[in-house]
Amino acid sequence: MTTVGILYPGFSAEDDYPRAERLLGGDARLPLVHTLMREDAHRVDALRDVGSEDVLADGAQAVAASDGPLDSIIWACTSGSFVFGWDGAQAQVAALQEVAGVPASSTSFAFVDACRRLGVTSVAIGATYPADVAERFVEFLGKAGIRVLTMTPRGIVTAAEVGTLTEDVVLDFAAAVDLPEADAILLPDTALHTVELLDRLDARVGKPVLTANQVSVWQGLRLAGADHARDGLGALFAAGGPRD
């Protein structure tokens, strides 16, 4: 049994993780700890507080203490990682790994690694964030050599509001931001419910749609050496073994 610890800020779409456990078929566990969110705001200062080293250290200690040995640990917050920039996000992961004592990553790096796994070099982004925050994700991907052809911000300030978006809204949003020349579509907010929509998202646009909670789970399994091919979780999981 593979155990991936999930550090999740606040409350919005955390129920995607037990759903992912069910879809994984019982051979992986995803114990989740809610990390401290003093202010629910997609704003740079608030996001830097959400992803601060002391907050993540407390979360790592809590998930390890509550659920036994871990195989890997993931900071499941895209904006709370890319807002630090590439070097800052690397330092964030290194500090988390030191505290947890197991391989660690964040959702921002999970997007990069997922694109590499699928051979994706150009993307369209559908961001729920305000534009100034979303542009930092574009810059982050650029550091990895991933070309963003278009970025459509939705301008939602709070994770709580993002968590209320319906399935039809998510499907329509993915279709609306697509460009024919994009290799994949990225939906970067872990506050967005997507785990039960992954195959439908791919089918709707005819190409891989990578979502934040999807890539977070996949990255945790990859770091634990358990990223074999699986059905029901989109093209990323269906791809199976390493190509990167």
Side-chain angles (χ1 to χ4, degrees):
M1 176 74 70
T2 303
T3 302
V4 178
I6 302 294
L7 304 185
Y8 189 91
F11 298 81
S12 47
E14 69 277 6
D15 45 343
D16 260 5
Y17 291 89
R19 289 169 178 157
E21 270 193 5
R22 292 194 294 273
L23 290 168
L24 288 168
D27 66 346
R29 296 176 60 253
L30 306 172
L32 181 147
V33 163
H34 294 274
T35 57
L36 178 64
M37 178 187 279
R38 294 182 180 91
E39 182 180 5
D40 180 8
H42 288 138
R43 201 179 63 240
V44 171
D45 62 325
L47 292 168
R48 290 181 72 88
D49 183 62
V50 163
S52 61
E53 187 173 331
D54 59 331
V55 169
L56 297 192
D58 288 347
Q61 291 166 355
V63 74
S66 67
D67 230 280
L70 302 175
D71 295 297
S72 62
I73 190 167
I74 299 294
W75 168 224
C77 183
T78 325
S79 55
S81 45
F82 69 67
V83 76
F84 290 87
W86 186 271
D87 292 342
Q90 284 187 319
Q92 184 184 60
V93 167
L96 180 57
Q97 184 163 313
E98 184 174 354
V99 172
V102 294
S105 190
S106 67
T107 309
S108 292
F109 287 117
F111 271 111
V112 171
D113 291 330
C115 286
R116 289 172 175 166
R117 172 61 57 84
L118 293 176
V120 166
T121 60
S122 62
V123 300
I125 297 175
T128 49
Y129 320 121
D132 64 321
V133 172
E135 285 293 349
R136 290 176 177 248
F137 186 48
V138 174
E139 293 171 11
F140 187 91
L141 295 174
K143 293 287 188 182
I146 298 168
R147 193 160 55 105
V148 178
L149 303 179
T150 182
M151 186 277 290
T152 304
R154 202 171 175 94
I156 300 176
V157 174
T158 68
E161 183 179 348
V162 174
T164 68
L165 298 179
T166 65
E167 292 185 357
D168 287 343
V169 169
V170 176
L171 289 163
D172 289 346
F173 187 40
V177 305
D178 186 27
L179 286 179
E181 58 268 37
D183 298 327
I185 294 170
L186 275 52
L187 302 180
D189 197 344
T190 58
L192 194 66
H193 288 97
T194 61
V195 162
E196 292 184 326
L197 300 178
L198 296 170
D199 285 346
R200 290 166 61 190
L201 282 164
D202 289 355
R204 176 70 177 270
V205 299
K207 66 183 63 172
V209 178
L210 299 177
T211 77
N213 290 327
Q214 175 201 36
V215 301
S216 296
V217 174
W218 173 83
Q219 182 81 320
L221 294 173
R222 187 185 74 84
L223 292 176
D227 55 333
H228 55 80
R230 302 168 189 263
D231 295 327
L233 287 158
L236 176 62
F237 278 83
R243 288 167 44 185
D244 46 359

